[in-house]
Amino acid sequence: KIFHFDRKIISFQYHIFNGGKQIYMANNLTEYLKSLKNFKYTGAVRKSDILRAQRALRLKFSEEYIEYLLSYGCASAKGLELTGLGVNRMSVVTITQIEKLRTKSFPSNMYVVINDGEMGYKVLQKTDGTVYELFDNGRIDRVADSLVSYLA
């Protein structure tokens, strides 16, 4: 993977080179979600809503997740519903708090970004942006460096 930083957008694009041919993978999370055919969202939330949610969870969201909340609030795409703010049943605060009660080993510096109860796992994001899968048996595996790389 070769990283290209665009100073104007303050996001990154990553590309994979396959036999000398450059294949575009993804921009930042908000651009990636917007590009999906079945993408739906509820609407942007205010910074004050984000600060309140962070205080409730006693952590700071990753910059990627904050940008997502400011742009979309709560969203679904690719058959997955992402947690967010503005929709009670998909509230990052409520879902993370419930999961902390269920899972004794739930890390204090992570929050739930995808809750797929049918498949038996949750997707967590650490405050630094890295992404993990949490399984019903309590196992946590690091799966991606960012939410956009997990989804792409």
Side-chain angles (χ1 to χ4, degrees), residues 57 83 91-108 110-117 120-124 132-140:
L57 293 174
T83 62
S91 165
V92 65
V93 174
T94 304
I95 291 173
T96 299
Q97 288 173 336
I98 290 169
E99 201 52 48
K100 284 183 176 187
L101 292 173
R102 285 186 185 157
T103 308
K104 292 179 184 178
S105 61
F106 194 96
S108 61
M110 293 187 191
Y111 47 94
V112 179
V113 291
I114 298 172
N115 181 17
D116 191 341
Y121 74 94
K122 282 85 178 154
V123 178
L124 313 178
Y132 298 77
E133 286 181 350
L134 169 66
F135 295 88
D136 283 343
N137 64 7
R139 189 178 90 223
I140 298 175

Side-chain angles (χ1 to χ4, degrees), residues 3 20-21 23 31 48 50 108 128 140 152:
F3 292 91
K21 183 178 177 185
I23 303 169
E31 291 179 21
S48 60
I50 295 169
S108 61
D128 68 2
I140 298 175

